[in-house]
Amino acid sequence: MAMEVTQVLLSAQAVDSTVRKHAEETLKQFQEQNLPAFLISLSGELASEEKPVESRKLAGLILKNELDAKEQHRKFELVQRWISLGMSVKSQIRAFLLQTLSSISPEARSTASQVIAKVAGIELPQKQWPELIGSLLSNVHQVPPHVKQATLETLGYMCEEIVPEVIDQDQVNKILTALVQGMNANEGSTEVRLAATRALYSALGFAQVNFSNDMERDYIMRVVCEATLSPEVKIRQAAYECLVSIGSTYYEKLAPYIQDIFNITSKAVREDEEPVALQAIEFWSSICDEEIDLLDEYGGEVASESDVPCYYFIKQALSALVPMLLETLLKQEEDQDQDEGFWNIAMAGGTCLGLVARTVGDDIVPLIMPFIEENFTKADWRHREAATYAFGSILEGPSPDKLTPIVNVALNFMLTALTKDPNSHVKDTTAWTLGRIFEYLHGSIAGTPIITPENCQQIITVLLRSMKDAPNVAEKACGALYFLAQGFEDAGATSPLTPYLQEIVQSLLNVSHREDAEESRLRTAAYETLNEVVRCSTDETARLVVELVQVIMTELYNSLEAQKLSSDAREKQNDLHGLLCGCLQVIIQKLGASEPTKYALMQCADQIMNLFLRVFACRSATVHEEAMLAIGALAYASGPNFAKYMPDFYKYLEMGLQNFEEYQVCAVTVGVVGDICRALEDKILPYCDGIMTLLLKDLSSNQLHQSVKPPIFSCFGDIALAIGENFEKYLMYAMPMLQSAAELSAHASSADDEIIEYTNLLRNGILEAYSGIFQGFKNSPKTQLLVPYAPHILQFLDNLYLEQDMDDIVIKTAIGVLGDLADTLGNNAGSLIQQSLSSKDFLNECLSSNDPLIKESAEWARLAISRAISG
């Protein structure tokens, strides 16, 4: 049954592309013609010690990809396919895989570990392969260390693939025992200890019961803490990773150990190698995260008797923790600002300091000020940069009252440093800190204003000058200007930025033209800032924004005309198109918001639309998304006049709705259909058959990402509102879809926050559809068509009310639908509403809600219901 695959697997890795393609084709045919034999051949190849390591490794990799995929629908198909294989086939494959764990080849063992975990992820939840864990545990007592190491690695991977409920507690205990024994200092093999420590990290989520038992918890904590002192750097790092995970998973059990943990982490931060020190800092960051969440949840007043008490570990450790973190800030590296993904001990220390500030608020300020004052003016750049970084890190958390006086003193120093400091790192951090000052202490949130008529000009002059500095400094200066503009958003009719706006806009456009604008995301930052400056501008500078339309259109036109041949150049061109379309979108929204400027915008609407259509013709997904959003804004601004663009635009709308691969593009397109419905109203009718067909197809596809489904339902509502009783012919298709989705979404039945959040989005989409349909049919002779659906909709509202897990948005939409139903169906609905289980309770609860929007919807619903009942 099996086939000799060695040569084909080696050819599939050949340098010669003809040989390679032929081999890949052969493998594909074998897979399609006889899947069981194909899988057995691959697992046999992986297990065979005679075979070359390259063919074994590839065999394992292909095997793994036959069991798992990133896309949910594909993963589901692979799981079903494996489950349906015959028992004898699966037994042979499992035997080969377990045999490979004893191989002398580390690559083969490691690959087998991963494949076993994938099989376990499918089979254990189905109560299949019950003997697997027993087999693995008996391997742990084997003499050869390499077998032990591979088995522990397998147990770790397996824990990543399954949820704790799948394994019974007795087996969990045995697995944890094996891992903790493998970590023990008297275990001779370093590889075994490392594998055991890494596997424990994956298994910690299974240890709930064990962490509730003092003796077992003490034992696990002791072994983990001992492993942080191992002579091997990788073991120390893995042990700290375990501590980080314990910190967030078992926060409430940490009190007895926290002093010891502080001692070992502070030693590691000061003396150990960087990978270890980074994890030691990460432990304290994770404790901050836990305490920030707890304090947010309980509104700062955490009662000692509450279920999850906040132990204030950070507050207690503050006087020792802050000096330790401040020391790390002086360990900068020469090139750390150039690389976006760069991470080192100084950055980790500053990030942790920021979290500490958010955890303890004002208490951090007196501990940090001496360090800042002492280092701010020192000769060595490292001290100046560290002092600035420390200051920037603590601006979120403490109260504006505490920080404003200090900022007022520091601001002049910083503006001087940004212009005159000889060191690029210091300038980079200074510009970043200014951005943080403007983000957290400027605008409506602050008490005393930091930006005054006296210093405003100086700040702008310095920032615009810094935009000509090195790309990393210029990018941070753009960021500071972004928050400066944002803080004046509510400044009223006159903004302090008005006199400088022309110069600011010109400087940002100059930045976008810099030769080095690709570096440090500089061009993107310039456009993001330009967008924010436009968004926050006032009527005084409307003329400037109107002029900007032509400027950006010319940029887009020139870019479309440029011939780009290399794929790299094309990609950069696509990025630029995205930025320019995004900028036009903001300008359109701004100018469309008031009549005089809207008139000016409409003069060039044809040219703008023409450019957007040319961008679509370039065929790149991200551009589609930006151009699509901009077209939505143009439709909203143009109103019924947008109809003239539909013949040319419609094919791109269809393409967007069919783009399953890049589901964000699909979701954006669905939103734009809603914008166009609101703009065109019944003028959209000629396109509705095509749009509804695609939307219904999207809903029934299992390939489309689930996040797109809620907006599609709301889009039904937009279409029904636009075309009114003409929606009649779609009812027979749309209503059953809505009903089955409503039944699914009525009961979230999950404790998972993400699932509850998605369920509420889905509910809201369904309710918005019902609302649009009822409002669309109002006052039409065809309202009778909706009567048969009313009992189901009321049943849905009853179920939602009884579940008691709606968020405020869903509550508002749901009570609105109750009103729409009564309003449109009149006395046809009266008796149904009176019979409904919970309408009355739901209405009364909403009438006494603290949320003014819910209350307003409920008042309206009450009127509609009383009219329907008395009618």
Side-chain angles (χ1 to χ4, degrees), residues 222 537 566:
R222 196 184 83 227
S537 64
S566 76

Side-chain angles (χ1 to χ4, degrees), residues 373-418:
E373 287 160 359
E374 185 189 332
N375 290 289
F376 223 34
T377 49
K378 280 208 172 153
D380 181 349
W381 72 266
R382 290 177 184 279
H383 290 265
R384 299 196 303 281
E385 195 275 339
T388 313
Y389 189 20
F391 189 44
S393 297
I394 63 150
L395 290 166
E396 184 189 4
S399 62
D401 296 347
K402 187 84 174 171
L403 291 173
T404 303
I406 305 169
V407 168
N408 283 329
V409 175
L411 206 52
N412 274 332
F413 279 106
M414 298 202 146
L415 294 169
T416 309
L418 194 49

Side-chain angles (χ1 to χ4, degrees), residues 8 66 156 180:
V8 188
E66 294 291 326
V180 172

